[in-house]
């Protein structure tokens, strides 16, 4: 809502606002540097474990996304109506990601089970239920 | 300050915009939301196929080259430079929008020009990366990279998704650069000075930041995970 600033506050706001922009820039750059550093650490030492590392990457990515949308795109300073209108539909992604990745995982398991040379897992035969007494 | 005003106003009672933004900005937001779903669909499709594969190439082995440095093994370095360029161009774009709020035409021209330079630099980097990957045999339908577990490539899913998604993003960067150039010409002609506000800079700014936002996800999905 910066375009609604009245004349006399304009110059005071200018400095504060520019500082804010650069602060956001340093945060984004810092997170990226941390990501790359962690990737190198993993390459060299194998630490942290792959799944931990991936979790950290996803969380840091969401952090970056938050700063870009809230500060650079200014959404954090808009009215609540607009913020919710934009963000609520994106919640669908939670379902999309869970459903599709689960589907992919199950395809992989089927491929593994049906691959040539894979021994069939025999269901334990429950004798008492079958044979007549 | 803003929230205090919001609480008292009846946003939906008519007389003013319930979103407190202009029609054009709101429509840009709606467009970006739909575009987010398009990119999201691409990335989720990539994730699904990757999850369904028993083996996948290691990005640190695929992306390890740097321009003019033959035979080096620098995983992630070049793509980090690309990320830095795009973040930097996002900053110059905010500074252009900021200058626009204060009606400082010369500053808008300066920062918008730097944004365009950043966009072109990013595209040049991507052109180099694609050329390099093409030279080692990677393209749509052609995957020369061995999997992380050492097995031979089974299909071209990896390269297909890589070129499609980074290509679609590159196309967005390209149209962003074109839009920025058009707006810069208008700024130079004094169109917005005459109009009394630089809101068009804000609108292309939103688009430009969105392109940066998508890159953050592409960077994670293809180069880090």
């Amino acid at each position: 809502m910066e375009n609604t600033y009245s004349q006399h506050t304009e110059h005071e706001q200018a400095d504060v606002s520019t500082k804010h922009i650069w602060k956001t820039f340093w945060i984004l750059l810092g997170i990226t540097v941390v990501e790359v550093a962690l990737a190198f650490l993993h390459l060299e030492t194998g630490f942290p474990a792959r799944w931990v590392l991936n979790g950290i990457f996803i969380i840091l990515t969401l952090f970056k996304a938050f700063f870009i949308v809230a500060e650079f795109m200014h959404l954090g300073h808009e009215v609540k109506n607009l913020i919710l209108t934009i963000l609520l539909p994106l919640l669908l992604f939670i379902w999309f990601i869970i459903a599709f990745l689960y589907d992919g995982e199950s395809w992989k398991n089927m491929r593994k089970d049906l691959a040539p040379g894979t021994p069939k897992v025999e269901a334990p035969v429950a004798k008492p239920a079958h044979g007549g007494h | 300050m803003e929230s205090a005003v919001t609480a008292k106003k009846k946003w939906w009672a008519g007389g003013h915009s319930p979103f407190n933004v202009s029609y054009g900005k709101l429509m840009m937001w709606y467009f970006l939301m739909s575009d987010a779903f398009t990119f999201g669909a691409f990335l989720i499709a990539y994730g699904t196929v990757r999850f369904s594969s028993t083996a996948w190439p290691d990005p640190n082995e695929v992306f390890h080259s740097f321009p003019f440095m033959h035979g080096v093994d620098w995983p992630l370095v070049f793509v980090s430079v690309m990320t830095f360029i795009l973040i930097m161009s996002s900053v110059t774009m905010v500074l252009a929008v900021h200058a626009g709020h204060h009606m400082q035409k010369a500053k808008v021209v300066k920062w918008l020009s730097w944004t365009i330079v950043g966009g072109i630099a990013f595209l040049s980097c991507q052109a180099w990366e694609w050329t390099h990957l093409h030279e080692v045999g990677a393209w749509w339908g052609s995957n020369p990279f061995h999997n992380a577990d050492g097995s031979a490539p089974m299909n071209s899913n990896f390269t297909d998704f890589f070129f499609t998604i980074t290509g679609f993003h590159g196309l967005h960067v390209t149209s962003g650069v074109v839009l920025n150039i058009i707006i810069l010409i208008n700024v130079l002609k004094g169109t917005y000075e005459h109009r009394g506000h630089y809101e068009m800079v804000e609108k292309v700014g939103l688009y430009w930041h969105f392109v940066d936002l998508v890159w953050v996800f592409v960077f994670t999905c293809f180069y880090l995970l």
Side-chain angles (χ1 to χ4, degrees):
Chain A
M1 249 183 275
E2 276 167 86
N3 48 358
T4 58
Y5 287 147
S6 53
Q7 288 294 325
H8 63 278
T9 57
E10 211 166 69
H11 287 286
E12 296 159 32
Q13 294 288 348
D15 268 336
V16 179
S17 209
T18 319
K19 250 187 204 166
H20 216 69
I21 293 167
W22 284 108
K23 197 182 133 198
T24 311
F25 165 74
W26 287 114
I27 291 170
L28 290 174
L29 189 65
I31 294 175
T32 307
V33 168
V34 168
E35 283 177 337
V36 174
L38 281 173
F40 273 107
L41 184 67
H42 178 80
L43 268 183
E44 296 297 323
T45 65
F47 170 87
R50 195 68 236 184
W51 69 273
V52 177
L53 194 65
N54 285 351
I56 295 172
F57 283 152
I58 289 166
I59 291 165
L60 291 179
T61 301
L62 292 175
F63 263 120
K64 282 204 279 188
F66 168 79
F67 280 108
I68 291 173
V69 175
E71 296 301 330
F72 284 177
M73 298 175 88
H74 215 254
L75 191 63
H77 308 276
E78 304 290 358
V79 298
K80 209 172 163 193
N81 294 334
L82 179 55
I83 297 175
L84 292 180
T85 304
I86 301 301
L87 291 189
L88 290 183
L90 297 180
L91 291 179
L92 276 171
F93 273 126
I94 297 172
W95 166 244
F96 288 159
I97 290 167
I98 293 171
F100 279 84
L101 295 192
Y102 188 80
D103 190 47
E105 180 78 17
S106 99
W107 268 98
K108 182 174 73 186
N109 293 336
M110 280 200 287
R111 285 209 179 100
K112 268 187 188 161
D113 294 345
L114 299 176
T118 311
K120 257 191 183 162
V121 182
E122 298 286 351
V125 187
K127 273 196 172 159
H130 282 278
H133 294 288
Chain B
M1 180 189 83
E2 283 152 17
S3 55
V5 177
T6 314
K8 274 178 201 158
K9 265 189 189 174
K10 282 183 179 162
W11 289 105
W12 302 97
H16 48 74
S17 161
F19 289 128
N20 204 27
V21 292
S22 69
Y23 178 80
K25 257 169 96 173
L26 184 63
M27 291 305 128
M28 179 54 90
W29 270 111
Y30 285 166
F31 165 68
L32 294 182
M33 193 169 66
S34 74
D35 220 18
F37 276 105
T38 310
F39 271 108
F42 270 134
L43 287 173
I44 291 170
Y46 157 77
T48 307
V49 168
R50 189 168 168 179
F51 264 63
S52 76
S53 305
T54 46
W56 199 259
D58 179 0
N60 293 311
E61 285 168 28
V62 176
F63 310 106
H64 66 96
S65 301
F66 203 88
F68 314 115
M69 306 291 277
H70 290 286
V72 294
D73 183 27
W74 290 354
L76 278 176
V77 176
F78 186 56
V79 77
S80 304
V81 172
M82 288 169 72
T83 306
F84 173 74
I85 290 171
L86 212 54
I87 292 177
M88 202 61 222
S89 81
S90 231
V91 173
T92 55
M93 183 46 111
V94 197
L95 291 170
V97 170
H98 186 72
H101 285 149
H102 300 281
M103 302 298 289
Q104 296 160 325
K105 182 179 162 183
K107 275 193 176 176
V108 176
V109 170
K110 180 177 97 176
W111 291 120
L112 202 51
S113 303
W114 277 116
T115 308
I116 292 165
V117 169
I120 291 171
F122 178 85
L123 286 170
S124 312
C125 290
Q126 198 169 38
W128 180 88
E129 192 189 32
W130 275 40
T131 309
H132 170 76
L133 289 172
H134 186 63
E135 274 169 6
V136 298
W139 202 239
W140 276 280
S142 160
N143 175 19
F145 304 112
H146 280 252
N147 293 314
D149 61 6
S151 58
M154 287 171 285
N155 51 47
S156 61
N157 284 341
F158 171 70
T159 45
D160 289 347
F161 272 108
F162 175 79
F163 286 112
T164 302
I165 294 176
T166 59
F168 195 57
H169 176 263
L171 199 65
H172 276 73
V173 180
T174 310
S175 49
V177 169
V178 171
L179 288 172
N180 287 347
I181 290 173
I182 293 171
I183 299 303
L184 178 64
I185 292 170
N186 281 342
V187 172
L188 288 169
K189 275 164 58 183
T191 308
Y192 307 127
E193 195 75 31
H194 180 72
R195 198 178 282 175
H197 59 79
Y198 281 83
E199 205 192 75
M200 281 308 283
V201 180
E202 278 185 62
K203 286 179 213 161
V204 291
L206 282 176
Y207 181 74
W208 191 254
H209 298 314
F210 176 76
V211 168
D212 185 22
L213 176 71
V214 170
W215 180 254
V216 165
F217 284 95
V218 171
F219 175 69
T220 302
C221 291
F222 278 100
Y223 300 93
L224 293 179
L225 295 181

